[in-house]
Amino acid sequence: MTSAGTGQTTRDAAAAAGPGPALGVDLSARMIELARRLAAEEGTGNVSFEQADAQIYPFPAGSFDVAISRTGTMFFGDPAAAFANIGRALRPGGRLVMLVWQGPGPNEWVRELSGALAAGRDLPAPPPGAPGPFSLADPGRTRTLLASAGFSGVTLDALHEPMWFGSDPDDAHRFVLGLMGWMLDGLDDTGRERALDALSATVTAHASSAGITFASGAWLIRALRATGGTR
């Protein structure tokens, strides 16, 4: 079982599983539609996708060996309910593996790109633990959440790698606007022009022979479903 998005992680899991099945779930109908189309184009036959909320979806109990998420679980509205539901879907001793962002400090891409698009505005940070990129950044909180959902053996390994945003500044500019363009909402024409100019300058400053890259920091989190079951 994976968090689907457009299905790359699920297709990778299906390839690793061989003949075993892989299920991807996502709230977005458009994401699921694209994931199904890409899987069909690649001829991946042991994968399926469901538009579903992992917090409440009735997964068959004890039917999965592993649950995987790549930067998806940080957006759970009720993470305690979501992890408990995922835990029930895993067999005893089944694994949870997820990649989540560390805080803003190691994530240069968030700081610099959001700073550019803020256009001088003082935009408040979300409250600690609120759904968003950094909701699982605190190791202590994450350990507590997973333990309360019936997981044990929780480990967090820090990863620091360059994050690639495009082959050149124009490519990166388009990608960032697709990812974070909502930050332009509320700006007048002058503010919007200022933000776009700042974004162009920021991505250009990060150009290299490898493309446009920014520093990033993530946690690779692993946990086991307790053999006594989840709450």
Side-chain angles (χ1 to χ4, degrees):
M1 171 175 50
T2 72
S3 60
T6 57
Q8 183 64 60
T9 301
T10 312
R11 298 195 303 276
D12 290 343
L23 170 67
V25 298
D26 198 282
L27 279 173
S28 169
R30 294 180 66 184
M31 290 281 197
I32 291 297
E33 180 183 354
L34 178 56
R36 288 171 175 160
R37 184 168 75 247
L38 292 173
E41 290 173 356
E42 292 182 2
T44 307
N46 61 326
V47 66
S48 60
F49 297 95
E50 293 288 344
Q51 182 188 2
D53 184 345
Q55 300 173 135
I56 59 174
Y57 187 76
F59 299 109
S63 58
F64 294 92
D65 294 314
V66 62
I68 302 169
S69 173
R70 183 177 64 182
T71 63
T73 54
M74 306 98 65
F75 299 99
F76 286 147
D78 186 344
F83 289 126
N85 194 41
I86 292 168
R88 285 188 289 269
L90 292 170
R91 63 171 176 79
R95 294 175 292 151
L96 171 67
V97 183
M98 54 186 177
L99 190 71
V100 306
W101 296 118
Q102 296 179 26
N107 283 291
E108 176 187 50
W109 67 276
V110 171
R111 299 194 316 274
E112 295 206 10
L113 296 176
S114 61
L117 293 173
R121 293 171 294 173
D122 184 13
L123 301 177
F134 306 125
S135 69
L136 298 176
D138 183 287
R141 178 175 184 270
T142 299
R143 291 178 187 278
T144 298
L145 274 171
L146 294 177
S148 67
F151 287 93
S152 62
V154 180
T155 62
L156 293 91
D157 294 315
L159 302 178
H160 298 277
E161 298 290 344
M163 188 171 175
W164 188 83
F165 279 81
S167 56
D168 56 48
D170 288 341
D171 188 24
H173 195 275
R174 288 190 296 270
F175 178 76
V176 173
L177 287 181
L179 180 70
M180 303 172 68
W182 57 270
M183 292 188 67
L184 299 174
D185 293 349
L187 290 173
D188 59 18
D189 290 345
T190 300
R192 183 181 179 88
E193 183 177 358
R194 177 182 176 185
L196 293 176
D197 287 346
L199 176 60
S200 293
T202 299
V203 296
T204 299
H206 283 264
S208 71
S209 59
I212 310 301
T213 62
F214 291 79
S216 73
W219 293 116
L220 178 61
I221 302 173
R222 301 180 180 91
L224 299 176
R225 180 193 170 185
T227 55
T230 59
R231 295 177 177 85

